[in-house]
Amino acid sequence: MNYQRSLLGCILLILLFVTTGYNYVSAQSRPIKRMGAANTVSFDDGWLFARYGLQADGSKIEEPAGLETTSLNDGTWQPLTLPHDWAITGPFRIELDGATGKLPWKGIGWYRKHFVVPATDAGKQIFVDFDGAMANAKIWLNGKYVGTWPYGYTSFRMDLTPFIQPGKENVLAVRLDTENWDSRWYPGAGIYRHVWLVKTNPVHVDHWGTFITTPQITDKSALVNIAVTVRNQSEKAITANVLTTLFELDATNRPTKKVAVMKETVVEVNGSENKMAESQVNVANPKLWNIETPNRYVAQTTISINGKIIDTYHTPFGIRTLEFTARNGFLLNGKRVEIKGTCNHHDLGALGAAFNLSALTRQLKMLKEMGCNSLRTSHNPPAPELLELADKMGFLVWDEAFDAWKTGKRKNDYNKLFDHWHEKDLTALVHRDRNHPSVFIWSIGNEVNEQQNVELTKHLVDIVHREDPTRPVSNGYNDPNGGRKSGAAVALDIMGVNYFFGQQAKWDADPRYTNKPTIGSETSSCVTSRGEYFFGNNDYQNWQISSYDYAKPGWGCSPDEQFKTNATYPHLLGEYVWTGFDYLGEPTPYNSDETNLLNFRTDSSKKEELEKQLELLRQKNPPSRSSYFGIIDLAGFPKDRFYSYQSQWRPDFPVAHIFPHWNWPERMDSFTPVHVYTSGDEAELFLNGKSLGRKTKEAGKDFRLIWDDVKYTPGELKVICYKSGKQWATDKVKTTGEMAKLALSANRSVIHSQDNELCFITVKVTDTEGLMVPRSHPVIHFSVEGAGEIMATDNGDATSFVPFQSHDRPAFNGMALVIVKAKKGAKGPITIKAESKGLTTGTTKIQVQ
Ligand code: GAL
């Protein structure tokens, strides 16, 4: 090896980097865990849990005093790792509220954690950050009260510094109380999101203390502005230098190319005060963030005193322009993007509310596949990871604060907190989320009772504008006409219409609203059960709902009708379908509680009739415990509607989807309507090779093709779809044989034990040829060998009372799901087995790394 030559090479390389200003952080640079202080570590491990008050079986255990004290003997408490939802283990109880999932989530939960911080941490600020705790959190350290945060969806920080004992054992105690919380859906219960330990110097970037804006963007350059709040928690005045460097951020969260160094600022901050340091820089040839190429950057901010770096803080961000117009929709970086969105609650099906990144990633991948480009976090602040995923995957986010203001929809919902907390909760939401490029609209509410209240609307909008003047504010109206008439909607930047577009034309012409961009903040609410089809004008049977995709509650409409509305008002920004995924709770129309009435509160004339219907329903004691609204069921299996949206939202993707299935022995020679969703414009249907005719879609009017006069004969039903006269896509369904075997497919072949990655394995009940047998419901027994264990099972049936943790689960219409995680610390293969009497066992293998 020629040493001199390689030395020369090195020098040249260094010179090249210096002269071009291209400074690469090594490819091995550490990934940035999250926005915030660099010294942030997971605090999820090693918790102990005990439940008091209401128990899972409905009994009550008196809550003793002194559960926060250090001397308490907690040796019998349940050890666990967060995130944790104490209610998802059930059992489902028929007498519990269907609207909130028939799960026993009401109770009082205590969590304790014993931990040591080294003696060398003396003098540091030590914080614990909760991403969300349901609900009414109260926190103690070493028996001393630290603070409270009641709203279960807000992320919050507790400062442990005054009570921490470095070098000794400390005990953190958290009391949660869901007995004093009410919800319209399953909220979960417990410390259901991640918790972090953050250590900083007394002088540091404040919690969520950076705000990055990009006031000018051209093709050639972007002006990036950062406002850094420097917090001085020491008693002395200090002079600090604040320096921010910008890097590109790759998909693994690693900073890569350095793109700019901002001008260093010097701030003087008195003891126990905060000071803002602002700086700007131009980034040349910015890589814009958009849905297709979600380019991200990260700002690394350091604070130095006397030349020594004492604090480092990371802020991922993106560069993009947002423009909302009343006549030409929404423009992202100057190009029109129609909002093709879904509303989603926060639960993750069989996992309950306990947050899991790989479970949410799986959901978002499916939504992306469908063509969904935007998420509405109905009706509360999401887990912070949802926004990070949205940034990375290219989703726009409607980030929502509340489902209720001063007057509740339920006795103990946000109305109990509003007066004292709304400003704190709203500010926390905006501060936490305002650097995410995905966040493009703030929402102050959903169908709140005071939606006509001008003053209150203005007050909340003003808070949001004060904290972030760069994004518009909206509110979801179920009485859009009332909200406009009163003038409350004038205060909004964007009018959010839930369902009621009847008077859209009138309001578009009203001088107060002519220039108000308008969006379908909630649409459709179509209800279906995957794989169920009923004939003859009756969509409802056995607590299931026909999948012909027409059933809807009084306020809703089919996807087709909404597409028609969207075509009628092309200037609307787009729509958010209720919902992307089925969720726990709100099993409309089978929810035997007042939710059914609530939704009609705009039409009081219907109240009496509805009350009667509700009473009848109550007497029947419906078993339904999760929603039917999802385009995708609770287990994550697409319903037929998935293809309706895909055909509409991805017009250039060849979609052909034929339904129903073709196993109708009892319908021999009966008319059995066949429907086809396609992104083509024409299609020809064949039954056993014989053409049943060609049909054409009328643009703006037809969103599916229908053959009503098909007489059932077993065999093969096939559709060939055309676009502009050329063959475009095909699909077929075939009458299957008897069920014969179980076929497994895993959504990934490798899981990493860190980050609690999960594998989702779909099981199909098939005949000997491998065709899924649509109406099969055999009980399947799941087992695993090797490095993993079963986390949960599901099948998407909204009426099932089988606990999600059970290893035995019937298939629902030919399908079931098993969710597998790695055993703590284990590596190597996991073999997953599905068995059912009389069927060939199915297995699959994955690896834990
Ligand atoms: C809406 C409400 C949603 C959900 C939906 C069901 O009115 O905003 O939270 O209840 O109805 O259709």
Side-chain angles (χ1 to χ4, degrees):
M1 179 183 176
N2 185 330
Y3 176 73
Q4 273 182 343
R5 208 186 295 160
S6 61
L7 185 69
L8 190 69
C10 278
I11 292 169
L12 279 176
L13 211 64
I14 291 166
L15 265 178
L16 181 78
F17 281 165
V18 171
T19 51
T20 57
Y22 270 34
N23 201 339
Y24 287 85
V25 175
S26 98
Q28 281 84 41
S29 68
R30 278 210 250 127
I32 287 164
K33 197 81 194 133
R34 63 194 332 244
M35 180 180 83
N39 194 357
T40 299
V41 294
S42 169
F43 212 44
D44 287 343
D45 276 339
W47 289 80
L48 299 169
F49 173 72
R51 178 171 179 172
Y52 293 97
L54 281 171
Q55 300 295 299
D57 62 3
S59 64
K60 235 181 166 170
I61 297 181
E62 200 60 41
E63 181 189 19
L67 296 177
E68 74 284 6
T69 55
T70 36
S71 56
L72 180 87
N73 179 358
D74 51 18
T76 56
W77 287 31
Q78 178 196 344
L80 53 80
T81 301
L82 304 176
H84 173 237
D85 175 355
W86 79 59
I88 196 61
T89 42
F92 290 106
R93 290 186 8 227
I94 189 77
E95 76 282 11
L96 291 179
D97 190 357
T100 61
K102 293 202 178 291
L103 284 165
W105 56 269
K106 293 235 171 196
I108 292 168
W110 274 87
Y111 293 82
R112 284 166 63 92
K113 181 175 162 99
H114 298 246
F115 67 104
V116 177
V117 294
T120 48
D121 279 351
K124 286 191 181 153
Q125 292 301 130
I126 301 191
F127 306 100
V128 61
D129 286 358
F130 291 84
D131 286 351
M134 190 66 69
N136 295 306
K138 288 202 165 89
I139 288 108
W140 291 261
L141 182 68
N142 299 328
K144 307 272 175 15
Y145 183 65
V146 183
T148 179
W149 206 293
Y151 191 33
Y153 297 105
T154 293
S155 300
F156 61 92
R157 161 169 286 189
M158 290 284 148
D159 188 351
L160 304 184
T161 320
F163 310 118
I164 202 139
Q165 300 177 349
K168 292 196 188 144
E169 185 181 87
N170 294 275
V171 181
L172 186 64
V174 180
R175 179 188 191 269
L176 301 179
D177 170 6
T178 47
E179 287 182 13
N180 287 298
W181 180 247
D182 283 335
S183 177
R184 294 192 302 115
W185 55 87
Y186 175 74
I191 309 181
Y192 70 107
R193 290 181 182 159
H194 291 298
V195 178
W196 308 86
L197 187 72
V198 184
K199 296 179 188 173
T200 70
N201 188 281
V203 178
H204 57 273
V205 176
D206 197 11
H207 187 216
W208 304 323
T210 55
F211 184 21
I212 297 180
T213 51
T214 49
Q216 286 161 28
I217 301 173
T218 66
D219 286 350
K220 304 242 153 20
S221 112
L223 183 62
V224 177
N225 187 88
I226 188 164
V228 180
T229 306
V230 179
R231 179 166 191 164
N232 179 3
Q233 284 194 279
S234 75
E235 277 155 23
K236 289 189 305 219
I238 53 99
T239 303
N241 291 40
V242 182
L243 180 67
T244 298
T245 310
L246 308 182
F247 299 90
E248 288 181 5
L249 186 62
D250 76 9
T252 64
N253 273 9
R254 287 178 169 82
T256 54
K257 191 172 115 185
K258 185 196 282 188
V259 292
V261 181
M262 300 180 107
K263 193 166 174 298
E264 191 170 41
T265 46
V266 180
V267 282
E268 285 171 15
V269 195
N270 289 331
S272 307
E273 281 187 10
N274 291 355
K275 196 53 123 359
M276 181 97 85
E278 216 165 335
S279 200
Q280 289 194 331
V281 77
N282 273 306
V283 172
N285 306 314
K287 293 185 175 165
L288 300 190
W289 182 92
N290 64 39
I291 288 165
E292 295 79 26
T293 47
N295 297 306
R296 296 180 304 154
Y297 292 89
V298 63
Q300 179 175 299
T301 303
T302 57
I303 299 182
S304 330
I305 295 183
N306 298 328
K308 188 172 165 239
I309 294 179
I310 53 150
D311 190 53
T312 304
Y313 189 100
H314 293 116
T315 315
F317 70 101
I319 300 175
R320 84 282 182 269
T321 62
L322 309 174
E323 208 181 321
F324 298 84
T325 75
R327 294 287 123 210
N328 192 29
F330 163 65
L331 311 179
L332 178 63
N333 302 322
K335 283 202 203 95
R336 179 152 190 190
V337 174
E338 182 192 339
I339 301 308
K340 302 163 176 175
T342 57
C343 301
N344 291 292
H345 277 312
H346 67 306
D347 76 60
L348 294 165
L351 306 174
F355 181 79
N356 181 279
L357 187 63
S358 53
L360 184 64
T361 308
R362 171 182 181 247
Q363 288 198 338
L364 297 196
K365 277 188 182 161
M366 276 183 242
L367 293 176
K368 192 93 190 166
E369 173 69 21
M370 183 169 74
C372 169
N373 61 17
S374 189
L375 310 167
R376 176 181 179 200
T377 69
S378 42
H379 300 297
N380 45 261
E385 291 85 351
L386 180 139
L387 300 172
E388 196 191 309
L389 280 179
D391 287 352
K392 273 189 191 173
M393 296 173 74
F395 284 98
L396 294 154
V397 177
W398 162 296
D399 203 352
E400 187 149 285
F402 308 121
D403 191 48
W405 293 349
K406 261 172 121 65
T407 327
K409 297 175 184 173
R410 296 233 160 178
K411 184 164 163 262
N412 285 325
D413 65 16
Y414 200 76
N415 75 86
K416 288 276 160 44
L417 305 176
F418 187 89
D419 285 342
H420 190 66
W421 285 93
H422 71 268
E423 185 157 2
K424 295 190 188 92
D425 281 317
L426 216 41
T427 306
L429 171 73
V430 176
H431 283 195
R432 190 193 68 170
D433 296 349
R434 63 188 173 182
N435 293 310
H436 287 279
S438 57
V439 174
F440 82 135
I441 297 174
W442 301 111
S443 164
I444 51 174
N446 171 63
E447 302 190 353
V448 293
N449 289 335
E450 305 90 336
Q451 57 193 276
Q452 300 191 17
N453 186 321
V454 182
E455 218 176 298
L456 206 47
T457 306
K458 201 169 167 333
H459 168 69
L460 296 173
V461 171
D462 286 348
I463 295 172
V464 180
H465 281 164
R466 183 188 73 204
E467 303 304 327
D468 175 14
T470 72
R471 292 178 180 84
V473 182
S474 192
N475 187 13
Y477 279 84
N478 61 327
D479 180 14
N481 303 321
R484 283 160 168 142
K485 206 181 285 166
S486 74
V490 174
L492 300 171
D493 304 301
I494 291 176
M495 177 68 197
V497 177
N498 288 8
Y499 305 100
F500 300 102
F501 295 90
Q503 297 203 22
Q504 192 57 42
K506 172 186 151 189
W507 292 110
D508 282 342
D510 185 298
R512 290 176 298 169
Y513 295 103
T514 308
N515 295 318
K516 183 82 63 196
T518 302
I519 194 163
S521 36
E522 213 175 293
T523 61
S524 182
S525 269
C526 181
V527 277
T528 54
S529 308
R530 177 184 50 78
E532 297 284 336
Y533 303 93
F534 308 136
F535 304 90
N537 279 343
N538 179 14
D539 282 331
Y540 306 94
Q541 279 177 36
N542 303 326
W543 310 115
Q544 304 293 356
I545 307 172
S546 179
S547 259
Y548 275 107
D549 296 341
Y550 290 125
K552 58 181 174 60
W555 57 95
C557 66
S558 65
D560 315 48
E561 280 172 72
Q562 185 62 39
F563 292 143
K564 233 178 273 176
T565 301
N566 299 348
T568 313
Y569 304 113
H571 62 287
L572 293 182
L573 310 184
E575 67 167 309
Y576 288 99
V577 180
W578 190 266
T579 49
F581 281 79
D582 273 334
Y583 51 94
L584 292 164
E586 222 182 25
T588 305
Y590 304 128
N591 43 348
S592 52
D593 61 69
E594 73 272 26
T595 312
N596 268 340
L597 303 178
L598 246 185
N599 280 302
F600 279 95
R601 63 189 177 278
T602 49
D603 186 354
S604 50
S605 67
K606 291 205 173 135
K607 196 159 182 264
E608 208 171 301
E609 178 200 328
L610 282 160
E611 265 163 358
K612 248 190 243 149
Q613 279 179 20
L614 184 61
E615 194 40 50
L616 284 176
L617 190 63
R618 271 192 184 134
Q619 285 162 15
K620 290 188 189 151
N621 218 4
S624 305
R625 47 65 168 166
S626 50
S627 86
Y628 300 80
F629 290 116
I631 299 170
I632 302 171
D633 77 14
L634 199 72
F637 303 143
K639 302 180 189 172
D640 293 300
R641 263 185 288 154
F642 181 94
Y643 302 95
S644 166
Y645 288 102
Q646 193 181 49
S647 65
Q648 192 60 20
W649 287 354
R650 295 182 66 185
D652 298 328
F653 181 70
V655 180
H657 177 73
I658 197 168
F659 60 107
H661 59 75
W662 215 236
N663 276 31
W664 302 107
E666 75 281 22
R667 298 188 62 78
M668 276 310 272
D669 293 324
S670 300
F671 287 120
T672 306
V674 174
H675 292 208
V676 168
Y677 292 130
T678 177
S679 49
D681 43 35
E682 256 186 289
E684 186 167 9
L685 186 69
F686 300 87
L687 179 55
N688 293 327
K690 186 172 163 269
S691 174
L692 300 183
R694 198 160 163 144
K695 306 230 177 216
T696 308
K697 283 206 270 184
E698 194 180 314
K701 192 166 160 280
D702 298 320
F703 300 93
R704 63 174 95 188
L705 291 167
I706 301 171
W707 287 259
D708 265 335
D709 51 358
V710 182
K711 279 194 182 161
Y712 179 75
T713 319
E716 184 186 89
L717 198 57
K718 180 176 174 179
V719 70
I720 301 180
C721 301
Y722 297 86
K723 189 166 184 155
S724 311
K726 289 208 185 94
Q727 190 168 322
W728 175 244
T730 70
D731 191 26
K732 60 183 176 195
V733 282
K734 233 171 140 181
T735 309
T736 74
E738 295 291 305
M739 54 181 180
K741 48 186 189 180
L742 298 172
L744 273 56
S745 59
N747 74 331
R748 56 201 301 170
S749 53
V750 175
I751 51 176
H752 298 96
S753 44
Q754 90 271 12
D755 294 336
N756 297 319
E757 280 185 353
L758 304 175
C759 181
F760 291 77
I761 298 127
T762 301
V763 182
K764 286 190 178 163
V765 183
T766 75
D767 64 6
T768 48
E769 278 182 48
L771 292 175
M772 188 187 85
V773 182
R775 294 159 89 186
S776 57
H777 302 90
V779 176
I780 301 170
H781 175 71
F782 293 100
S783 57
V784 293
E785 273 168 26
E789 55 192 316
I790 292 175
M791 178 97 179
T793 59
D794 193 8
N795 60 14
D797 176 0
T799 67
S800 170
F801 271 35
V802 177
F804 289 124
Q805 298 72 32
S806 173
H807 293 192
D808 296 281
R809 174 159 310 269
F812 179 60
N813 290 323
M815 293 174 88
L817 174 79
V818 55
I819 308 171
V820 170
K821 68 172 176 186
K823 277 189 197 144
K824 215 173 177 117
K827 298 237 175 334
I830 312 179
T831 305
I832 300 108
K833 207 196 263 181
E835 297 164 279
S836 185
K837 214 168 150 218
L839 305 183
T840 307
T841 298
T843 61
T844 191
K845 212 179 216 180
I846 61 164
Q847 290 292 327
V848 180
Q849 280 177 6

